[in-house]
Amino acid sequence: MNTRSPTMLALSLLAASTTTFAIDLTPLNVNLGAWEITTRTSTQGVLVPPEMLTQMPSAQRAKIAAAMQARSGKVSTQVDQECVTPQVLQEKNAFIGEQDESCSRTVIASTSTRQQLQLSCQGEHARNGTVTVNASSPSTVTSVADIAFAGGGKVHVEIDGRWLGAHCAGVTD
């Protein structure tokens, strides 16, 4: 069992490095305890910055381009468990993910049932996008992230969270 939030895993694929951050969001009205998180991720195009590709030997560049093309449009699914605590909701912003230090996030909406953020990242892995989290009930959460990279690549992430119970025995962050 993976102990990192699947949302964080999916979004960390978009980041060069990540750090935990606090952002001024209204905590979601969700049950605390164990959650099953299903993450579906799809990519299109090349996610490696063009400047980085030009610095690679042509054989390596071709290998990366072929791998990304083979993965393009295909959905990868991952199912994990996460222990959601008040601290996770406040400090790690469960269901949203971690922050790349080159990124800024603007809160578009923040209620107990919906959070929406605009993401803008500068530097070597420049990208922009939105993350929307909906808590349709205290035991059901969905999240969608759409990220566009400066080099033209795109990532789409869909997350479904289902509350398993109040106790997190065997589940750690």
Side-chain angles (χ1 to χ4, degrees), residues 25-32 35 84 89-90 94-95 110-115 133-142 163:
L25 288 173
T26 302
L28 292 171
N29 179 27
V30 296
N31 294 330
L32 301 178
W35 282 76
V84 175
L89 283 175
Q90 187 60 40
F95 310 107
S110 180
T111 69
S112 63
T113 60
R114 183 170 187 266
Q115 297 175 341
V133 181
N134 290 301
S136 58
S137 75
S139 61
T140 306
V141 173
T142 59
W163 185 64

Side-chain angles (χ1 to χ4, degrees), residues 42-46 65-75 154:
S42 62
T43 62
Q44 291 182 337
V46 177
M68 289 191 177
Q69 181 63 32
R71 192 177 73 204
S72 185
K74 295 180 181 168
V75 177
K154 296 179 182 181

Side-chain angles (χ1 to χ4, degrees), residues 17 42 56 58-59 65 76 103 122-123 128 153:
S17 63
S42 62
M56 295 178 186
S58 60
S76 71
C103 298
Q122 304 305 313
N128 294 295

Side-chain angles (χ1 to χ4, degrees), residues 24-107:
D24 189 23
L25 288 173
T26 302
L28 292 171
N29 179 27
V30 296
N31 294 330
L32 301 178
W35 282 76
E36 179 180 84
I37 310 290
T38 302
T39 305
R40 290 175 303 286
T41 306
S42 62
T43 62
Q44 291 182 337
V46 177
L47 304 180
V48 177
E51 304 80 37
M52 189 179 284
L53 284 173
T54 59
Q55 295 174 5
M56 295 178 186
S58 60
Q60 184 180 12
R61 189 170 47 244
K63 192 175 188 179
I64 288 174
M68 289 191 177
Q69 181 63 32
R71 192 177 73 204
S72 185
K74 295 180 181 168
V75 177
S76 71
T77 302
Q78 180 175 337
V79 179
D80 289 293
Q81 292 183 350
E82 177 178 2
C83 184
V84 175
T85 64
Q87 181 181 4
V88 168
L89 283 175
Q90 187 60 40
E91 293 178 11
K92 293 184 181 177
N93 299 300
F95 310 107
I96 288 182
E98 293 183 63
Q99 170 86 349
D100 178 321
E101 61 190 30
S102 73
C103 298
S104 65
R105 292 186 182 194
T106 303
V107 177

Side-chain angles (χ1 to χ4, degrees), residues 3 12 173:
T3 59
S12 70
D173 289 331

Side-chain angles (χ1 to χ4, degrees), residues 116-135:
Q116 185 174 21
L117 301 169
Q118 181 71 39
L119 173 72
S120 178
C121 305
Q122 304 305 313
E124 187 175 45
H125 297 278
R127 60 203 176 278
N128 294 295
T130 59
V131 179
T132 304
V133 181
N134 290 301

